[in-house]
Amino acid sequence: MNSSSTSAGSLVARRVFGKKLVLAPIILMGSFSLLQGVPSYFFTLGLPAVLRESGATLDLIGFTYVVWLPFAFKWLWAPWFDRSTVRPFGGRLAWLRFLAFLLAGFFLLVALFRPETSPWVLIALSLLCACVGATIQLILASWLIENADVKSRAVANAAGVAAMVLGAMVGSGFVLRLNDLFSWEMSIVAVSLTVLVFSLPAWVLKQDHPVTVKSTGTTVVERPGVAAWRRFLGHDRIGPMVLAIVCFGMAAGADVLVPALLIDRGYSASEAGWLLGTVATGSVIPASFAMGYLLRRFGVIAVMGLLYVAKAGVLFALIWAVHFLPATVAALAIGDFCLAGALTVGTWQLYMNFASREHSATDYGLMTSLDAFLRFLGGLSAGQVAVYIGYGSVFAGAALGALGACFFCFLLRERHSAEAGR
């Protein structure tokens, strides 16, 4: 894509980190990540607390995690959005506008149902909202792949992760506070309005243009279906990429045990919640922007490799957490969460760089779906394994996964270098 494509929306260019950077990708990624994050984390963090307070059983509360299923299965409809225009709304920005209204509308329906009387209806609505959110994520990534260069995407992805974390804080804390101060209905209406407000950048930007292949100059329009998935699986570097994603899931799986570890080391539930939900989660925001700078300066492969070595070090240290002071374990837990946030920026960047511009939705959708499924499976397995062989073995396996992720990322260096040169 040329510079005119990159400057979609004709937003003012500024100097960021010493480089000329068009703001459109940052603003669009940040606003729509926040837009998705508030309802998503309301359903996964806020709603469980409300349900428990109203007397719901733990098995019912566990069903709230269906909100993540569409993110693991968005590969099913991803090929449809390989086309630069899709009926009935047309280009990617037009779809983002429509989906923002749809998400706000679905979430507004939550105000009609109370947690104590209609928990299953709320869980069903969470699934509908998640389907819309997963599609927004898919289209947004495709827009960035097609309209922003590698360095612009680095900072845009950093803004996206930071905004998602902020959305988690709002969705899991501020909304419940509004519920306490005013009413259930008012808190839900406030979130719906927030979704609409943060969709405004999609209305300001100019409409996107069809993706073209340089060799022929013709518009790429691939029919959705199995052929698109088969083409991706035939990629010349697909082996190292899939193995890297497997290792990403292994390395992240042990994170689910960190809250329980803090409790076992003497922290109360409220203290552990404050450490992880406020201190650790809040640290992800500056870490994300630092990651954006590092990605622009050194490239995704070098930075990901270094951070996975650091992740492995933290995980290896947690093997002996039983022998450490509680404050040391808390510091390691915060460091682990901070690294997880930074690595999220890196994985988004890696997947966008690996995806082709002509098949951006399919490529990105397949990689992120596999990533989401393996991380979910890793977390589920970690809990089961820890019951039988303890924390230490799980953290050791996750550390080896982190080192494996570092190794397979470096095997992708050749592909990344080719992409960066485009």
Side-chain angles (χ1 to χ4, degrees):
M1 305 293 285
N2 57 30
S3 60
S4 61
S5 299
T6 305
S7 58
S10 300
L11 294 181
V12 179
R14 295 181 180 175
R15 292 255 169 195
V16 178
F17 303 136
K19 297 287 185 180
K20 186 179 181 182
L21 180 66
V22 177
L23 294 181
I26 303 171
I27 294 173
L28 195 68
M29 187 67 167
S31 62
F32 272 82
S33 295
L34 182 57
L35 176 153
Q36 297 172 68
V38 175
S40 292
Y41 286 96
F42 167 80
F43 285 122
T44 56
L45 298 177
L47 182 60
V50 175
L51 287 173
R52 188 59 174 171
E53 188 177 54
S54 65
T57 59
L58 292 177
D59 57 343
L60 174 61
I61 292 171
F63 274 99
T64 59
Y65 267 68
V66 299
V67 73
W68 299 120
L69 283 180
F71 292 88
F73 287 96
K74 61 180 177 287
W75 58 271
L76 290 170
W77 61 91
W80 186 259
F81 291 100
D82 278 340
R83 313 186 211 193
S84 54
T85 58
V86 180
R87 290 184 294 180
F89 301 106
R92 305 203 187 284
L93 294 178
W95 271 94
L96 288 176
R97 296 163 192 160
F98 163 72
L99 290 171
F101 269 98
L102 188 62
L103 181 60
F106 280 151
F107 195 80
L108 190 61
L109 293 176
V110 172
L112 303 177
F113 304 96
R114 303 289 302 186
E116 59 269 20
T117 58
S118 306
W120 288 107
V121 177
L122 294 176
I123 290 173
L125 286 172
S126 77
L127 192 58
L128 289 175
C129 289
C131 289
V132 177
T135 307
I136 288 174
Q137 184 188 83
L138 190 67
I139 295 172
L140 181 60
S142 295
W143 185 91
L144 284 171
I145 291 167
E146 296 169 4
N147 292 277
D149 61 24
V150 172
K151 291 188 174 183
S152 295
R153 287 200 299 265
V155 183
N157 282 321
V161 172
M164 189 70 77
V165 169
L166 183 59
M169 292 180 172
V170 174
S172 62
F174 180 68
V175 174
L176 298 188
R177 183 60 177 162
L178 285 178
N179 181 41
D180 291 338
L181 293 175
F182 300 102
S183 67
W184 172 259
E185 292 78 11
M186 182 171 289
S187 63
I188 300 304
V189 170
V191 173
S192 297
L193 292 175
T194 299
V195 168
L196 293 179
V197 168
F198 282 101
S199 71
L200 290 178
W203 296 90
V204 173
L205 299 180
K206 292 180 180 178
Q207 187 54 277
D208 34 26
H209 302 288
V211 181
T212 58
V213 180
K214 292 182 179 179
S215 57
T216 63
T218 59
T219 301
V220 173
V221 181
E222 177 168 331
R223 292 183 180 277
V226 177
W229 304 325
R230 184 180 298 131
R231 178 206 56 78
F232 175 75
L233 294 175
H235 197 290
D236 60 343
R237 308 293 291 176
I238 190 62
M241 175 55 78
V242 169
L243 290 171
I245 294 173
V246 170
C247 290
F248 296 164
M250 288 178 59
D255 292 349
V256 73
L257 299 177
V258 171
L261 179 62
L262 288 175
I263 299 297
D264 290 350
R265 295 298 296 130
Y267 288 96
S268 66
S270 61
E271 289 171 336
W274 181 79
L275 283 170
L276 299 180
T278 303
V279 179
T281 302
S283 71
V284 172
I285 296 177
S288 296
F289 285 109
M291 186 68 170
Y293 167 76
L294 292 173
L295 291 175
R296 283 173 56 82
R297 179 68 177 81
F298 301 106
V300 66
I301 299 299
V303 176
M304 287 279 283
L306 180 63
L307 288 186
Y308 267 114
V309 169
K311 175 85 170 177
V314 170
L315 290 168
F316 275 126
L318 286 172
I319 295 173
W320 295 280
V322 68
H323 303 295
F324 295 154
L325 293 173
T328 304
V329 177
L332 289 170
I334 293 170
D336 182 63
F337 270 60
C338 189
L339 284 169
L343 285 167
T344 300
V345 181
T347 53
W348 287 5
Q349 180 78 351
L350 182 67
Y351 297 156
M352 288 185 187
N353 289 358
F354 193 83
S356 67
R357 285 174 174 167
E358 297 80 16
H359 304 278
S360 55
T362 295
D363 293 358
Y364 189 81
L366 281 168
M367 286 184 286
T368 52
S369 294
L370 178 61
D371 184 292
F373 176 76
L374 289 173
R375 287 173 189 265
F376 172 77
L377 186 63
L380 185 65
S381 301
Q384 299 300 315
V385 172
V387 169
Y388 296 101
I389 58 178
Y391 289 117
S393 298
V394 176
F395 286 124
L400 293 176
L403 293 177
C406 174
F407 174 75
F408 289 114
C409 279
F410 276 102
L411 290 185
L412 292 167
R413 177 181 291 277
E414 179 181 340
R415 168 68 181 175
H416 172 259
S417 298
E419 290 292 331
R422 289 195 313 182

